[in-house]
C-alpha cells in the first residue's frame, strides 16, 4: 500500500474549476476542503459549485478530442483537485456506449430510441462506478486509506473494485435482502462484507452512526457531495454521443435519486458552459410498485415524499426513504417529465424485452426503466421522431439468481438425443412459444442452474 501522506510526492493539480460546497437551501458556502457532507444548519447534503465561466473557456481551449474516454473527460467540472488521487482510482469509469435501439424502438413505435448502456461500465458493471470513482478519489485526496459504504447492491461492488484498484481497504454493509452475487463479488474482490439485519433505509441510518463512532469514511454518506457529482457525467456523455444535441427525453430508474437529479444538474451545466442547449430535455423516472415513493409523489402532485417499506425484487431500487427525492421531484417537474410505476412481473418482462431485441442483459433496475418506457410510449408520451434515451444502469449477470427462467434440457452426448431436443426447440420457435418455457417437454428437463 502506498501512503497518500507521502510528502515527497508532488501533488499536481487537476483543471477542476470547483469553487466549493454550497447548501442550496441555506446558501451557506464552504471551501472544497470542508469536511462535513451535510449542512450544519439544515441537514441537507451539500452540493458542489464551480466557476462556470472559467470552465467554459477551458472547454473551448482544450478540445474534446484530446480528452480521455471516461468520466475524467469532464475534469473541469469534477470536484477533485489532486490529480494523483484521480489517477490512483484508474481513469476508466464512464463513457459507456450509447446504442441505437432499432429493434426495441420498432416494438415501441419509436424511430430514434437509444440505450445508454451502463451495464457495461468498468470496472463493476453498473452506473455506480461513476459515483464511487469520485468518492474514492476524494478519499485519496484526503489522505485516507480505507473506505466503507452502505449499499443496495451495486455501490458495494463498485467500492470493492475501485478500492482494490487504489490499493485501500473496503468495508461493505449490505441490508438483509440483496442479490447474493453482488455480495459474493465483493468478497471475491477482497472487500470485507457485513450483512445487517434490516432493510436498506435502516442500514443507512445506522451506518451514519457507525461513521461517526468509527471515523470510517463512507462513500455514500460522509463523502456524499463528491460521490453524487460522478452521476452527472452521464448527461454530458449522452449529449456528446448524440453530436452535442440533447435528446427530447431521458428515462431512468430511481432509487435514492442521485442519478436522476444529477442528470438534471449535468443538463443545466451543459448550457452554462456553452456545450449544448438542453432546456427541451424532459426527464422521466421509473420505480417498482413495491417501492415508489418518488413516482408516487410526482403522480399525486405532492411536494413531499412519503417513505415506504420496500417489497420489490428490484433490490437495487429498494430505497423507501430517498435522500435526493425532493431534488428529483423538482427536476422532473421543472423539465416537464413524468413518472411511471410497474409491477415486478412487468420489470422481468422489461428485462426480457431488452434482451430479446437488443442483446443487452440488464438487471431489474434496467427492466424497470424499459417497462416504464413501454408504458409511456403506449400512452403517447413520445412523438415517434423524438430522440428518447433509456438509461440501462446495471448488468443482468449479477442478478441471474432472481431471473424467472432457469431451466434447460439435459441430453445424452450423442446426435440422436441432441437432434430430438433441437427439433423441439425449432418446433417451439415456429409456434412462437413463450421464451420462458424453453419449448422443451419436461421429459428432457434434467438440470437447473
Ligand atoms: C443505484 C442504482 C440505481 C438508482 O440510483 P439512484 O441514484 O440511487 O437513484 C439504478 N440502477 C441501478 C442498477 C443502481 O444500482
Amino acid at each position: 500500500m502506498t501512503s497518500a501522506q507521502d510528502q515527497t510526492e508532488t501533488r499536481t493539480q487537476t483543471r477542476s474549476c470547483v469553487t466549493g460546497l454550497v447548501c442550496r437551501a441555506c446558501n451557506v458556502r464552504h471551501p472544497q476542503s470542508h469536511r462535513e457532507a451535510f449542512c450544519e444548519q439544515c441537514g441537507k447534503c451539500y452540493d458542489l459549485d464551480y466557476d462556470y465561466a472559467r470552465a467554459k473557456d477551458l472547454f473551448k481551449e482544450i478540445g474534446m478530442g484530446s480528452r480521455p474516454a471516461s468520466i475524467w473527460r469532464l475534469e473541469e467540472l469534477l470536484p477533485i483537485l489532486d490529480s494523483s488521487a484521480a489517477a490512483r482510482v484508474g481513469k476508466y469509469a464512464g463513457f459507456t456506449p450509447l446504442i441505437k435501439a432499432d429493434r426495441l424502438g420498432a416494438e415501441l413505435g419509436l424511430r430514434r430510441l437509444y440505450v445508454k448502456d451502463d451495464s457495461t461500465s468498468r470496472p463493476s458493471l453498473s452506473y455506480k462506478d461513476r459515483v464511487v470513482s469520485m468518492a474514492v478519489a476524494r478519499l485519496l485526496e484526503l489522505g485516507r486509506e480505507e473506505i466503507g459504504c452502505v449499499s443496495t447492491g451495486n455501490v458495494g461492488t463498485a467500492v470493492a473494485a475501485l478500492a482494490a484498484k487504489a490499493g485501500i481497504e473496503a468495508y461493505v454493509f449490505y441490508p438483509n435482502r440483496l442479490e447474493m452475487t453482488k455480495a459474493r463479488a465483493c468478497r471475491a474482490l477482497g472487500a470485507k462484507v457485513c450483512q445487517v439485519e434490516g432493510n436498506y433505509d435502516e442500514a443507512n441510518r445506522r451506518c451514519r452512526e457507525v461513521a461517526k463512532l468509527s471515523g470510517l469514511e463512507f462513500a455514500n454518506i460522509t463523502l456524499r457531495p463528491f460521490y453524487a457529482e460522478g452521476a452527472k457525467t452521464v448527461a454530458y456523455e449522452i449529449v456528446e454521443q448524440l453530436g452535442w444535441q440533447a435528446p427530447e427525453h431521458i428515462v431512468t430508474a430511481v432509487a435514492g435519486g442521485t442519478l436522476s437529479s444529477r442528470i438534471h444538474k449535468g443538463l443545466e451545466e451543459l448550457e452554462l458552459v456553452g456545450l449544448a442547449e438542453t432546456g427541451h430535455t424532459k426527464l422521466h423516472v421509473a420505480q417498482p410498485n413495491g417501492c415508489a415513493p418518488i413516482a408516487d409523489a410526482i403522480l399525486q402532485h405532492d411536494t413531499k415524499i412519503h417513505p415506504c417499506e420496500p417489497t420489490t425484487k428490484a433490490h437495487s431500487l429498494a430505497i423507501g426513504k430517498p435522500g435526493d427525492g425532493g431534488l428529483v421531484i423538482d427536476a422532473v417537474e421543472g423539465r416537464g417529465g413524468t413518472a411511471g410505476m410497474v409491477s415486478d412481473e412487468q420489470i422481468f418482462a422489461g428485462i426480457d424485452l431488452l434482451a430479446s431485441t437488443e442483446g443487452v442483459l440488464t438487471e431489474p433496475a434496467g427492466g424497470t426503466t424499459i417497462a416504464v418506457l413501454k408504458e409511456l410510449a403506449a400512452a403517447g408520451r413520445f412523438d415517434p421522431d423524438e430522440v428518447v434515451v433509456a438509461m440501462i444502469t446495471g448488468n443482468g449477470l449479477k442478478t441471474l439468481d432472481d431471473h424467472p427462467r432457469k431451466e434447460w434440457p439435459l441430453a445424452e452426448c450423442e446426435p440422436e438425443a441432441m437432434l430430438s431436443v433441437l427439433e423441439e426447440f425449432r418446433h417451439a420457435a415456429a409456434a412462437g412459444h413463450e421464451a420462458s418455457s424453453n419449448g422443451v417437454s419436461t421429459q428432457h428437463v434434467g438440470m437447473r442452474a
Side-chain angles (χ1 to χ4, degrees):
M1 245 180 260
T2 54
S3 165
Q5 274 105 1
D6 192 349
Q7 294 300 323
T8 59
E9 188 186 320
T10 45
R11 289 195 158 193
T12 50
Q13 288 248 339
T14 65
R15 293 192 304 272
S16 176
C17 300
V18 66
T19 53
L21 296 164
V22 56
C23 172
R24 298 288 177 202
C26 308
N27 252 323
V28 178
R29 284 176 184 274
H30 297 287
Q32 188 261 10
S33 56
H34 191 66
R35 292 300 307 272
E36 293 299 321
F38 300 94
C39 177
E40 290 87 337
Q41 289 179 32
C42 73
K44 287 225 164 69
C45 187
Y46 283 118
D47 190 16
L48 283 146
D49 208 2
Y50 299 83
D51 178 346
Y52 290 106
R54 203 177 125 227
K56 187 173 182 171
D57 289 342
L58 286 171
F59 277 117
K60 258 196 219 132
E61 203 177 299
I62 305 160
M64 284 294 154
S66 62
R67 292 163 180 259
S70 75
I71 53 175
W72 303 96
R73 200 170 180 78
L74 205 62
E75 192 170 310
E76 289 83 346
L77 294 177
L78 294 177
I80 305 301
L81 292 170
D82 176 359
S83 66
S84 66
R88 253 178 92 191
V89 191
K91 292 196 173 185
Y92 44 60
F95 227 77
T96 55
L98 184 75
I99 299 165
K100 180 96 193 296
D102 286 329
R103 277 175 39 78
L104 177 59
E107 288 280 327
L108 304 180
L110 301 172
R111 280 189 278 272
R112 300 167 77 196
L113 174 64
Y114 293 82
V115 163
K116 177 62 171 167
D117 192 8
D118 268 14
S119 79
T120 65
S121 171
R122 289 200 299 157
S124 76
L125 307 178
S126 88
Y127 116 76
K128 295 301 195 309
D129 290 327
R130 300 175 183 274
V131 282
V132 173
S133 289
M134 220 47 61
V136 173
R138 172 58 169 176
L139 182 99
L140 296 170
E141 186 171 73
L142 296 173
R144 304 294 296 270
E145 296 286 318
E146 48 170 26
I147 190 163
C149 70
V150 53
S151 173
T152 57
N154 288 321
V155 170
T157 51
V159 163
L162 288 159
K165 175 72 183 167
I168 61 175
E169 290 292 333
Y171 309 100
V172 178
F173 291 89
Y174 274 129
N176 54 9
R177 270 187 249 146
L178 85 154
E179 291 103 348
M180 285 302 160
T181 304
K182 292 176 179 169
R184 286 194 201 108
C186 289
R187 293 293 296 123
L189 285 159
K192 310 285 191 295
V193 173
C194 173
Q195 194 169 343
V196 300
E197 293 175 341
N199 65 24
Y200 175 82
D201 299 294
E202 291 156 353
N204 181 39
R205 191 157 56 86
R206 294 310 187 191
C207 278
R208 284 186 178 220
E209 292 170 38
V210 172
K212 277 213 186 81
L213 295 169
S214 65
L216 177 65
E217 298 284 349
F218 275 67
N220 47 355
I221 299 176
T222 63
L223 303 170
R224 189 149 193 103
F226 292 82
Y227 167 95
E229 260 335 71
K232 73 184 181 188
T233 55
V234 86
Y236 286 83
E237 290 173 22
I238 289 170
V239 170
E240 182 177 358
Q241 287 167 320
L242 290 169
W244 298 107
Q245 299 287 321
E248 272 77 29
H249 304 273
I250 298 176
V251 185
T252 186
V254 184
T258 305
L259 177 60
S260 41
S261 59
R262 270 45 177 211
I263 287 176
H264 173 58
K265 183 178 183 184
L267 290 170
E268 291 200 313
E269 286 183 351
L270 275 156
E271 292 222 353
L272 287 175
V273 296
L275 286 173
E277 310 234 311
T278 60
H280 61 282
T281 304
K282 295 186 166 71
L283 182 65
H284 309 280
V285 292
Q287 289 200 298
N289 284 340
C291 182
I294 297 175
D296 235 353
I298 291 170
L299 294 173
Q300 306 289 328
H301 302 288
D302 201 334
T303 51
K304 249 185 76 99
I305 303 271
H306 302 280
C308 71
E309 171 80 32
T311 56
T312 176
K313 271 197 159 177
H315 297 296
S316 42
L317 302 182
I319 297 184
K321 198 168 174 282
D324 288 326
L327 294 178
V328 179
I329 296 177
D330 291 348
V332 169
E333 286 180 351
R335 296 196 157 271
T338 187
M341 288 190 256
V342 285
S343 67
D344 282 10
E345 205 182 335
Q346 287 174 292
I347 289 170
F348 282 97
I351 294 176
D352 279 355
L353 180 59
L354 180 66
S356 62
T357 53
E358 299 297 332
V360 172
L361 180 60
T362 189
E363 65 157 83
T368 306
T369 299
I370 297 299
V372 167
L373 172 77
K374 186 178 171 181
E375 297 255 293
L376 295 178
R381 276 277 174 171
F382 314 123
D383 185 278
D385 284 316
E386 286 180 331
V387 175
V388 180
V389 175
M391 276 299 306
I392 296 304
T393 45
N395 195 300
L397 288 174
K398 289 188 199 165
T399 58
L400 285 177
D401 290 346
D402 284 339
H403 198 282
R405 209 156 59 234
K406 291 196 183 106
E407 291 172 351
W408 55 79
L410 184 65
E412 274 175 55
C413 190
E414 53 99 6
E416 216 168 289
M418 291 154 70
L419 267 175
S420 119
V421 173
L422 177 60
E423 281 313 310
E424 287 196 45
F425 282 159
R426 283 177 162 168
H427 188 74
H433 250 230
E434 268 286 283
S436 59
S437 71
N438 201 3
V440 171
S441 64
T442 46
Q443 74 181 37
H444 289 294
V445 176
M447 202 165 130
R448 271 179 81 94

